[in-house]
Coordinates of all heavy atoms in Angstrom, one line a residue:
M1 N -5.7 -13.5 -11.3 CA -4.9 -12.7 -10.3 C -5.2 -13.3 -8.9 O -6.3 -13.6 -8.6 CB -5.3 -11.2 -10.3 CG -4.4 -10.4 -9.4 SD -2.6 -10.5 -9.6 CE -2.4 -9.5 -11.1
S2 N -4.1 -13.5 -8.2 CA -4.2 -14.1 -6.8 C -4.8 -13.1 -5.8 O -4.8 -11.9 -6.0 CB -2.8 -14.5 -6.3 OG -2.0 -13.4 -6.2
N3 N -5.4 -13.7 -4.8 CA -5.9 -12.9 -3.7 C -4.9 -12.8 -2.6 O -4.3 -13.7 -2.2 CB -7.2 -13.5 -3.2 CG -8.4 -13.0 -4.0 OD1 -8.7 -11.8 -4.2 ND2 -9.2 -14.0 -4.5
C4 N -4.9 -11.6 -2.0 CA -4.0 -11.4 -0.8 C -4.6 -12.0 0.4 O -5.8 -11.8 0.7 CB -3.7 -9.9 -0.6 SG -2.7 -9.6 0.8
N5 N -3.8 -12.7 1.2 CA -4.2 -13.3 2.5 C -3.4 -12.8 3.6 O -3.4 -13.4 4.7 CB -4.2 -14.8 2.4 CG -5.3 -15.4 1.5 OD1 -6.4 -15.0 1.6 ND2 -4.9 -16.2 0.5
Q6 N -2.7 -11.8 3.4 CA -1.8 -11.3 4.5 C -2.5 -10.5 5.6 O -3.5 -9.9 5.4 CB -0.6 -10.5 3.9 CG 0.3 -11.3 2.9 CD 1.5 -10.5 2.5 OE1 2.3 -10.2 3.3 NE2 1.6 -10.3 1.2
E7 N -1.8 -10.5 6.7 CA -2.3 -9.8 7.9 C -2.6 -8.3 7.7 O -3.5 -7.8 8.3 CB -1.3 -10.0 9.1 CG -1.8 -9.5 10.4 CD -3.1 -10.2 10.9 OE1 -3.3 -11.4 10.5 OE2 -3.9 -9.6 11.5
H8 N -1.8 -7.7 6.8 CA -2.0 -6.3 6.6 C -3.4 -5.9 6.1 O -3.7 -4.7 6.1 CB -0.9 -5.7 5.7 CG -0.8 -6.3 4.4 ND1 0.4 -6.5 3.7 CD2 -1.8 -6.7 3.5 CE1 0.1 -7.0 2.5 NE2 -1.2 -7.1 2.4
R9 N -4.1 -6.8 5.6 CA -5.5 -6.5 5.2 C -6.3 -6.0 6.3 O -7.4 -5.4 6.1 CB -6.2 -7.8 4.6 CG -5.6 -8.2 3.3 CD -6.3 -9.5 2.8 NE -6.2 -10.5 3.8 CZ -7.1 -11.4 4.1 NH1 -8.2 -11.4 3.4 NH2 -7.0 -12.2 5.1
H10 N -5.9 -6.3 7.6 CA -6.7 -5.9 8.7 C -6.0 -4.8 9.6 O -6.5 -4.5 10.7 CB -7.0 -7.1 9.6 CG -7.7 -8.2 8.8 ND1 -9.0 -8.1 8.5 CD2 -7.2 -9.4 8.3 CE1 -9.3 -9.2 7.8 NE2 -8.3 -10.0 7.7
W11 N -5.0 -4.1 9.0 CA -4.3 -3.1 9.7 C -5.3 -1.9 9.8 O -5.8 -1.4 8.8 CB -3.1 -2.6 9.0 CG -1.9 -3.6 9.1 CD1 -1.9 -4.7 9.9 CD2 -0.7 -3.5 8.4 NE1 -0.7 -5.3 9.8 CE2 0.1 -4.6 8.9 CE3 -0.2 -2.6 7.5 CZ2 1.4 -4.8 8.4 CZ3 1.1 -2.9 7.0 CH2 1.9 -4.0 7.4
P12 N -5.6 -1.5 11.1 CA -6.6 -0.4 11.3 C -6.3 0.9 10.6 O -7.2 1.6 10.1 CB -6.6 -0.3 12.8 CG -6.0 -1.4 13.4 CD -5.0 -1.9 12.3
F13 N -5.0 1.3 10.5 CA -4.7 2.6 10.0 C -5.1 2.7 8.5 O -5.3 3.8 8.0 CB -3.3 3.0 10.3 CG -2.3 2.3 9.5 CD1 -1.9 2.8 8.2 CD2 -1.7 1.1 9.9 CE1 -0.9 2.1 7.5 CE2 -0.8 0.4 9.2 CZ -0.4 0.9 8.0
L14 N -5.1 1.6 7.8 CA -5.5 1.6 6.4 C -6.9 2.0 6.2 O -7.3 2.4 5.1 CB -5.2 0.3 5.8 CG -3.8 -0.2 5.7 CD1 -3.6 -1.6 5.2 CD2 -3.0 0.7 4.8
E15 N -7.7 2.0 7.3 CA -9.1 2.4 7.2 C -9.3 3.9 6.8 O -10.3 4.2 6.2 CB -9.7 2.2 8.6 CG -11.2 2.3 8.7 CD -11.9 1.2 7.9 OE1 -11.7 0.1 8.2 OE2 -12.8 1.6 7.0
S16 N -8.3 4.7 7.1 CA -8.4 6.1 6.9 C -8.0 6.5 5.4 O -8.1 7.6 5.0 CB -7.5 6.9 7.8 OG -6.1 6.6 7.6
L17 N -7.6 5.5 4.6 CA -7.3 5.8 3.2 C -8.5 6.1 2.5 O -9.6 5.7 2.8 CB -6.6 4.6 2.6 CG -5.2 4.3 3.1 CD1 -4.7 3.0 2.5 CD2 -4.2 5.4 2.9
P18 N -8.4 7.0 1.4 CA -9.6 7.2 0.6 C -10.0 6.0 -0.2 O -9.2 5.1 -0.5 CB -9.1 8.3 -0.4 CG -7.6 8.2 -0.4 CD -7.2 7.7 0.9
H19 N -11.3 6.0 -0.5 CA -11.8 4.9 -1.4 C -11.4 5.1 -2.8 O -11.4 6.2 -3.3 CB -13.3 4.8 -1.2 CG -13.8 4.0 -0.1 ND1 -14.2 4.5 1.1 CD2 -13.9 2.6 0.0 CE1 -14.6 3.5 1.9 NE2 -14.4 2.4 1.3
D20 N -11.1 4.0 -3.5 CA -10.9 4.1 -4.9 C -12.3 3.6 -5.5 O -12.6 2.5 -5.5 CB -9.8 3.1 -5.3 CG -9.4 3.3 -6.8 OD1 -10.3 3.5 -7.6 OD2 -8.2 3.1 -7.1
Q21 N -13.0 4.6 -6.0 CA -14.4 4.3 -6.4 C -14.5 3.6 -7.7 O -15.6 3.0 -8.0 CB -15.2 5.6 -6.5 CG -15.3 6.3 -5.2 CD -16.2 5.5 -4.2 OE1 -16.8 4.5 -4.6 NE2 -16.4 6.0 -3.0
G22 N -13.6 3.6 -8.6 CA -13.8 2.9 -9.8 C -12.5 2.9 -10.7 O -12.5 2.6 -11.8
G23 N -11.4 3.3 -10.0 CA -10.2 3.4 -10.7 C -9.6 2.0 -11.0 O -10.1 1.0 -10.5
H24 N -8.4 2.0 -11.6 CA -7.7 0.8 -12.0 C -7.3 0.0 -10.7 O -7.2 -1.2 -10.7 CB -6.5 1.2 -12.8 CG -5.6 0.1 -13.2 ND1 -6.2 -1.0 -13.8 CD2 -4.3 -0.2 -13.1 CE1 -5.2 -1.9 -14.1 NE2 -4.1 -1.4 -13.7
G25 N -7.1 0.8 -9.6 CA -6.6 0.1 -8.4 C -7.6 -0.4 -7.5 O -7.3 -0.9 -6.4
R26 N -8.9 -0.3 -7.8 CA -10.0 -0.6 -6.9 C -9.9 -1.9 -6.2 O -10.3 -2.0 -5.1 CB -11.3 -0.4 -7.7 CG -12.6 -0.7 -6.9 CD -13.8 -0.4 -7.8 NE -15.0 -0.9 -7.3 CZ -15.7 -0.2 -6.3 NH1 -15.3 0.9 -5.8 NH2 -16.8 -0.7 -5.9
H27 N -9.5 -2.9 -7.0 CA -9.5 -4.3 -6.4 C -8.2 -4.7 -5.9 O -8.0 -5.9 -5.5 CB -10.1 -5.3 -7.4 CG -11.5 -5.0 -7.7 ND1 -12.5 -5.1 -6.8 CD2 -12.1 -4.6 -8.8 CE1 -13.7 -4.8 -7.3 NE2 -13.5 -4.4 -8.6
K28 N -7.2 -3.8 -6.0 CA -5.8 -4.2 -5.6 C -5.7 -4.1 -4.1 O -6.4 -3.3 -3.5 CB -4.8 -3.3 -6.3 CG -4.8 -3.5 -7.8 CD -4.5 -4.9 -8.2 CE -4.4 -5.0 -9.7 NZ -4.1 -6.4 -10.1
C29 N -4.8 -4.9 -3.5 CA -4.6 -4.9 -2.1 C -3.8 -3.6 -1.6 O -2.7 -3.5 -2.0 CB -3.9 -6.1 -1.6 SG -3.7 -6.1 0.2
A30 N -4.5 -2.7 -0.9 CA -3.8 -1.5 -0.4 C -2.7 -1.8 0.6 O -1.8 -1.1 0.7 CB -4.9 -0.5 0.2
G31 N -2.9 -2.9 1.3 CA -1.9 -3.3 2.2 C -0.6 -3.7 1.5 O 0.5 -3.3 2.0
C32 N -0.7 -4.4 0.4 CA 0.5 -4.7 -0.4 C 1.1 -3.5 -1.0 O 2.3 -3.3 -1.0 CB 0.1 -5.7 -1.5 SG -0.2 -7.4 -0.9
A33 N 0.3 -2.5 -1.4 CA 0.7 -1.3 -1.9 C 1.5 -0.5 -0.9 O 2.5 0.1 -1.1 CB -0.4 -0.4 -2.5
Y34 N 1.0 -0.5 0.3 CA 1.6 0.2 1.4 C 3.0 -0.4 1.7 O 4.0 0.3 1.8 CB 0.8 0.0 2.7 CG 1.5 0.6 3.9 CD1 1.3 2.0 4.3 CD2 2.3 -0.1 4.7 CE1 1.9 2.6 5.4 CE2 2.9 0.5 5.8 CZ 2.7 1.8 6.2 OH 3.3 2.3 7.2
E35 N 3.1 -1.7 1.7 CA 4.4 -2.4 2.0 C 5.4 -2.1 0.9 O 6.6 -1.9 1.1 CB 4.2 -3.9 2.2 CG 3.2 -4.2 3.3 CD 3.7 -5.4 4.1 OE1 4.9 -5.6 4.4 OE2 2.7 -6.1 4.5
L36 N 4.9 -2.0 -0.4 CA 5.8 -1.7 -1.5 C 6.3 -0.3 -1.4 O 7.5 0.0 -1.6 CB 4.9 -1.8 -2.8 CG 5.6 -2.1 -4.1 CD1 6.3 -3.5 -4.1 CD2 4.6 -2.1 -5.3
G37 N 5.4 0.6 -1.0 CA 5.8 2.0 -0.8 C 6.8 2.1 0.4 O 7.8 2.9 0.3
Y38 N 6.5 1.4 1.4 CA 7.4 1.4 2.6 C 8.8 1.0 2.3 O 9.8 1.7 2.7 CB 6.8 0.5 3.7 CG 7.5 0.7 5.0 CD1 7.0 1.6 6.0 CD2 8.6 -0.1 5.4 CE1 7.6 1.7 7.2 CE2 9.2 0.0 6.6 CZ 8.7 0.9 7.5 OH 9.4 1.1 8.7
Q39 N 8.9 -0.1 1.5 CA 10.3 -0.5 1.1 C 11.0 0.5 0.3 O 12.2 0.7 0.4 CB 10.1 -1.8 0.3 CG 9.7 -3.0 1.1 CD 9.1 -4.1 0.3 OE1 9.3 -4.2 -0.9 NE2 8.4 -5.0 0.9
S40 N 10.3 1.2 -0.6 CA 10.9 2.3 -1.4 C 11.3 3.4 -0.5 O 12.3 4.1 -0.7 CB 9.9 2.8 -2.5 OG 9.7 1.9 -3.5
G41 N 10.5 3.7 0.5 CA 10.8 4.8 1.5 C 12.0 4.5 2.3 O 12.8 5.4 2.5
V42 N 12.2 3.3 2.7 CA 13.3 2.9 3.5 C 14.6 3.1 2.7 O 15.6 3.6 3.2 CB 13.2 1.5 4.1 CG1 14.5 1.0 4.6 CG2 12.1 1.4 5.1
R43 N 14.5 2.8 1.4 CA 15.6 3.0 0.5 C 15.7 4.4 0.0 O 16.7 4.8 -0.7 CB 15.5 2.0 -0.7 CG 15.6 0.6 -0.4 CD 15.7 -0.2 -1.8 NE 14.5 0.0 -2.6 CZ 13.5 -0.8 -2.8 NH1 13.4 -1.9 -2.0 NH2 12.5 -0.5 -3.6
R44 N 14.7 5.2 0.3 CA 14.6 6.6 -0.2 C 14.8 6.6 -1.8 O 15.5 7.4 -2.3 CB 15.6 7.5 0.4 CG 15.3 7.8 1.9 CD 16.3 8.8 2.5 NE 16.6 8.3 3.9 CZ 17.7 8.6 4.5 NH1 18.6 9.5 4.0 NH2 17.9 8.2 5.7
D45 N 14.1 5.7 -2.4 CA 14.1 5.7 -3.8 C 13.7 7.0 -4.4 O 12.8 7.7 -3.9 CB 13.1 4.6 -4.3 CG 13.6 3.2 -4.1 OD1 14.8 3.0 -3.8 OD2 12.8 2.3 -4.4
E46 N 14.3 7.4 -5.5 CA 14.0 8.7 -6.1 C 13.2 8.5 -7.3 O 12.6 9.5 -7.9 CB 15.3 9.5 -6.4 CG 16.0 9.9 -5.1 CD 17.4 10.4 -5.3 OE1 17.8 10.6 -6.4 OE2 18.0 10.7 -4.2
H47 N 13.1 7.3 -7.8 CA 12.2 7.1 -8.9 C 11.1 6.0 -8.5 O 11.5 4.8 -8.3 CB 13.0 6.6 -10.1 CG 14.0 7.5 -10.6 ND1 13.6 8.6 -11.4 CD2 15.3 7.7 -10.4 CE1 14.7 9.3 -11.7 NE2 15.7 8.8 -11.0
L48 N 9.9 6.5 -8.2 CA 8.9 5.6 -7.7 C 8.1 5.0 -8.8 O 7.7 5.7 -9.7 CB 8.0 6.4 -6.7 CG 8.8 7.1 -5.6 CD1 7.8 7.9 -4.7 CD2 9.5 6.1 -4.7
H49 N 7.7 3.8 -8.5 CA 6.9 3.1 -9.5 C 5.9 2.2 -8.8 O 6.3 1.3 -8.1 CB 7.8 2.3 -10.5 CG 6.9 1.5 -11.5 ND1 6.1 2.2 -12.4 CD2 6.8 0.2 -11.7 CE1 5.5 1.3 -13.1 NE2 5.9 0.1 -12.7
I50 N 4.6 2.6 -8.9 CA 3.6 1.7 -8.3 C 3.2 0.7 -9.4 O 2.5 1.1 -10.3 CB 2.4 2.5 -7.9 CG1 2.8 3.7 -7.0 CG2 1.4 1.7 -7.1 CD1 1.6 4.7 -6.7
D51 N 3.7 -0.5 -9.2 CA 3.3 -1.5 -10.2 C 2.0 -2.2 -9.8 O 2.0 -3.3 -9.2 CB 4.5 -2.5 -10.3 CG 4.3 -3.5 -11.5 OD1 3.3 -3.3 -12.2 OD2 5.1 -4.4 -11.6
L52 N 0.9 -1.5 -10.2 CA -0.4 -2.0 -9.7 C -0.6 -3.4 -10.2 O -1.2 -4.2 -9.5 CB -1.5 -1.1 -10.3 CG -1.8 0.2 -9.5 CD1 -2.9 0.9 -10.2 CD2 -2.1 -0.1 -8.1
D53 N -0.2 -3.7 -11.4 CA -0.5 -5.0 -12.0 C 0.2 -6.2 -11.2 O -0.2 -7.3 -11.3 CB -0.1 -5.1 -13.5 CG -1.0 -4.3 -14.3 OD1 -2.2 -4.1 -13.9 OD2 -0.6 -3.8 -15.4
S54 N 1.2 -5.8 -10.5 CA 1.9 -6.9 -9.7 C 1.3 -7.1 -8.4 O 1.6 -8.1 -7.7 CB 3.4 -6.4 -9.5 OG 3.5 -5.5 -8.5
L55 N 0.4 -6.3 -8.0 CA -0.2 -6.4 -6.6 C -1.4 -7.5 -6.7 O -2.1 -7.5 -7.6 CB -0.8 -5.1 -6.2 CG 0.2 -4.0 -5.9 CD1 -0.6 -2.7 -5.6 CD2 1.2 -4.3 -4.9
P56 N -1.5 -8.3 -5.6 CA -2.6 -9.2 -5.6 C -3.9 -8.4 -5.3 O -3.8 -7.3 -4.9 CB -2.2 -10.1 -4.4 CG -1.3 -9.3 -3.6 CD -0.5 -8.4 -4.5
E57 N -5.0 -9.1 -5.5 CA -6.3 -8.4 -5.2 C -6.7 -8.7 -3.8 O -6.2 -9.6 -3.1 CB -7.3 -9.0 -6.2 CG -6.8 -8.8 -7.7 CD -8.0 -8.9 -8.7 OE1 -9.0 -9.4 -8.3 OE2 -7.7 -8.4 -9.8
S58 N -7.6 -7.9 -3.3 CA -8.1 -8.1 -2.0 C -9.6 -7.8 -2.0 O -10.0 -6.8 -2.4 CB -7.4 -7.2 -1.0 OG -7.8 -7.5 0.3
Q59 N -10.3 -8.7 -1.4 CA -11.8 -8.5 -1.3 C -12.2 -8.5 0.2 O -13.4 -8.6 0.4 CB -12.5 -9.7 -2.0 CG -12.2 -9.7 -3.5 CD -12.7 -8.5 -4.2 OE1 -13.6 -7.8 -3.8 NE2 -12.1 -8.2 -5.4
A60 N -11.3 -8.4 1.1 CA -11.7 -8.5 2.5 C -10.9 -7.6 3.3 O -9.9 -7.0 2.9 CB -11.5 -9.9 3.0
G61 N -11.3 -7.4 4.6 CA -10.5 -6.6 5.5 C -10.7 -5.1 5.3 O -11.5 -4.7 4.6
T62 N -9.9 -4.4 6.0 CA -10.0 -2.9 6.0 C -9.5 -2.3 4.7 O -9.8 -1.2 4.4 CB -9.2 -2.3 7.1 OG1 -7.8 -2.7 7.0 CG2 -9.7 -2.6 8.5
V63 N -8.8 -3.1 3.9 CA -8.2 -2.5 2.7 C -9.1 -2.7 1.5 O -8.8 -2.2 0.4 CB -6.8 -3.2 2.3 CG1 -5.8 -3.0 3.4 CG2 -7.0 -4.7 2.0
R64 N -10.3 -3.2 1.7 CA -11.2 -3.4 0.5 C -11.5 -2.1 -0.1 O -12.0 -1.2 0.6 CB -12.4 -4.1 1.1 CG -13.5 -4.4 0.0 CD -14.6 -5.2 0.7 NE -15.9 -5.0 -0.1 CZ -16.2 -5.8 -1.1 NH1 -15.4 -6.7 -1.6 NH2 -17.3 -5.6 -1.8
H65 N -11.3 -2.0 -1.4 CA -11.6 -0.8 -2.2 C -10.9 0.4 -1.7 O -11.3 1.5 -2.0 CB -13.2 -0.6 -2.2 CG -13.9 -1.7 -2.9 ND1 -15.3 -1.8 -2.9 CD2 -13.4 -2.7 -3.6 CE1 -15.6 -2.8 -3.6 NE2 -14.5 -3.4 -4.0
K66 N -9.8 0.3 -1.0 CA -9.0 1.5 -0.6 C -8.0 1.8 -1.8 O -7.6 0.9 -2.5 CB -8.2 1.2 0.7 CG -9.1 1.0 1.9 CD -9.9 2.3 2.2 CE -10.7 2.1 3.5 NZ -11.5 3.3 3.7
S67 N -7.7 3.1 -1.8 CA -6.8 3.5 -2.9 C -5.4 3.0 -2.7 O -4.7 3.3 -1.7 CB -6.8 5.0 -2.9 OG -5.7 5.5 -3.8
P68 N -4.9 2.2 -3.7 CA -3.5 1.7 -3.5 C -2.5 2.8 -3.7 O -1.4 2.7 -3.3 CB -3.4 0.6 -4.6 CG -4.4 0.9 -5.6 CD -5.5 1.6 -4.8
H69 N -2.9 3.8 -4.5 CA -2.0 5.0 -4.7 C -1.8 5.7 -3.4 O -0.6 6.0 -3.0 CB -2.6 5.9 -5.7 CG -2.9 5.3 -7.0 ND1 -4.0 4.7 -7.3 CD2 -2.1 5.2 -8.1 CE1 -3.9 4.2 -8.6 NE2 -2.8 4.5 -9.1
A70 N -2.9 5.9 -2.6 CA -2.7 6.6 -1.3 C -1.9 5.7 -0.4 O -1.1 6.2 0.4 CB -4.1 6.9 -0.7
A71 N -2.2 4.4 -0.4 CA -1.5 3.5 0.5 C 0.0 3.5 0.2 O 0.8 3.4 1.1 CB -2.1 2.0 0.3
F72 N 0.4 3.5 -1.1 CA 1.8 3.5 -1.5 C 2.4 4.8 -1.0 O 3.5 4.7 -0.4 CB 1.9 3.4 -3.0 CG 3.3 3.3 -3.5 CD1 3.9 2.1 -3.8 CD2 4.0 4.5 -3.7 CE1 5.2 2.0 -4.3 CE2 5.4 4.4 -4.2 CZ 5.9 3.2 -4.5
A73 N 1.7 5.9 -1.1 CA 2.3 7.2 -0.7 C 2.5 7.2 0.8 O 3.5 7.7 1.3 CB 1.4 8.3 -1.1
Q74 N 1.5 6.7 1.5 CA 1.6 6.6 3.0 C 2.8 5.7 3.4 O 3.5 6.0 4.3 CB 0.3 6.1 3.6 CG 0.3 6.0 5.1 CD 0.1 7.3 5.8 OE1 -0.8 8.1 5.5 NE2 1.0 7.6 6.7
G75 N 2.9 4.6 2.7 CA 4.0 3.7 3.0 C 5.3 4.3 2.8 O 6.3 4.1 3.5
Y76 N 5.4 5.0 1.7 CA 6.7 5.7 1.3 C 7.1 6.7 2.4 O 8.2 6.7 2.9 CB 6.6 6.4 0.0 CG 7.9 7.0 -0.5 CD1 8.8 6.2 -1.1 CD2 8.1 8.3 -0.3 CE1 10.1 6.8 -1.5 CE2 9.3 8.9 -0.7 CZ 10.3 8.1 -1.3 OH 11.5 8.7 -1.7
Y77 N 6.1 7.4 2.8 CA 6.3 8.4 3.8 C 6.8 7.8 5.1 O 7.8 8.2 5.7 CB 5.0 9.2 4.0 CG 5.1 10.3 5.1 CD1 5.7 11.6 4.7 CD2 4.6 10.2 6.4 CE1 5.8 12.6 5.7 CE2 4.7 11.2 7.3 CZ 5.3 12.4 7.0 OH 5.4 13.4 7.9
D78 N 6.1 6.8 5.5 CA 6.4 6.1 6.8 C 7.8 5.4 6.7 O 8.6 5.4 7.6 CB 5.4 5.0 7.1 CG 4.1 5.6 7.6 OD1 4.1 6.8 7.8 OD2 3.1 4.9 7.6
G79 N 8.1 4.9 5.5 CA 9.4 4.3 5.3 C 10.6 5.3 5.4 O 11.6 5.0 5.9
V80 N 10.4 6.4 4.8 CA 11.4 7.5 4.9 C 11.6 7.9 6.3 O 12.7 8.0 6.8 CB 11.0 8.7 4.0 CG1 11.9 9.9 4.3 CG2 11.0 8.4 2.5
H81 N 10.5 8.0 7.0 CA 10.6 8.4 8.5 C 11.4 7.3 9.2 O 12.3 7.7 10.0 CB 9.2 8.4 9.1 CG 8.7 9.8 9.3 ND1 8.9 10.5 10.5 CD2 8.1 10.7 8.5 CE1 8.4 11.7 10.4 NE2 7.9 11.8 9.2
S82 N 11.1 6.1 9.0 CA 11.9 5.0 9.7 C 13.3 5.0 9.3 O 14.2 4.6 10.1 CB 11.1 3.7 9.6 OG 11.5 3.1 8.3
S83 N 13.6 5.4 8.1 CA 15.0 5.3 7.6 C 15.8 6.4 8.4 O 17.0 6.2 8.6 CB 15.1 5.6 6.1 OG 15.0 7.0 5.8
Y84 N 15.2 7.4 8.8 CA 15.9 8.4 9.6 C 16.0 8.1 11.1 O 16.9 8.5 11.8 CB 15.2 9.8 9.5 CG 15.4 10.4 8.1 CD1 14.3 10.7 7.3 CD2 16.7 10.7 7.6 CE1 14.5 11.3 6.1 CE2 16.9 11.3 6.4 CZ 15.8 11.6 5.6 OH 15.9 12.1 4.4
N85 N 15.1 7.2 11.5 CA 15.1 6.8 12.9 C 16.1 5.6 13.1 O 16.2 5.1 14.2 CB 13.7 6.4 13.4 CG 12.8 7.6 13.4 OD1 13.2 8.7 13.6 ND2 11.5 7.4 13.3
G86 N 16.6 5.1 12.0 CA 17.5 4.0 12.1 C 16.9 2.7 12.5 O 17.5 1.7 12.9
S87 N 15.6 2.6 12.4 CA 14.9 1.4 12.7 C 14.6 0.5 11.5 O 14.6 1.1 10.4 CB 13.6 1.6 13.5 OG 12.8 2.5 12.7
Ligands
LIG101 ZN1 -2.0 -7.5 0.6

């Protein structure tokens, strides 16, 4: 599995996500999960699917060991918000 090298690994707000202590998502990049959720939120998708296996792994930055499920949910929420703001 590839490692994520994107800037979102260092987004400060991801610091507040819960830790994934030993779940399936533990090594997945929460930043990528956030962006996936955000895209679904902007589209207001009604059937959500967190495809954990498609996410790259991350071993660095603020997203290390953060819950990708929480990141996806946060991203979805933020995406829905921005869809109403027209941005
Ligand atoms: Zn990433």
Side-chain angles (χ1 to χ4, degrees):
M1 182 57 74
S2 62
N3 274 306
C4 178
N5 290 311
Q6 294 189 64
E7 186 59 33
H8 60 217
R9 289 177 306 146
H10 302 289
W11 287 352
F13 71 90
L14 294 172
E15 190 68 54
S16 63
L17 295 173
H19 272 100
D20 189 326
Q21 293 293 356
H24 181 47
R26 179 172 168 80
H27 295 295
K28 297 301 183 178
C29 179
C32 287
Y34 176 90
E35 301 218 39
L36 205 64
Y38 190 91
Q39 289 159 21
S40 289
V42 168
R43 293 191 303 261
R44 289 181 224 159
D45 286 353
E46 292 169 3
H47 299 280
L48 303 179
H49 178 60
I50 310 175
D51 189 4
L52 279 183
D53 288 334
S54 76
L55 298 174
E57 306 199 343
S58 183
Q59 297 294 337
T62 54
V63 299
R64 179 176 159 85
H65 294 171
K66 294 299 184 181
S67 166
H69 301 88
F72 184 95
Q74 180 75 53
Y76 184 81
Y77 181 79
D78 290 348
V80 169
H81 256 269
S82 80
S83 79
Y84 288 121
N85 293 334
S87 57

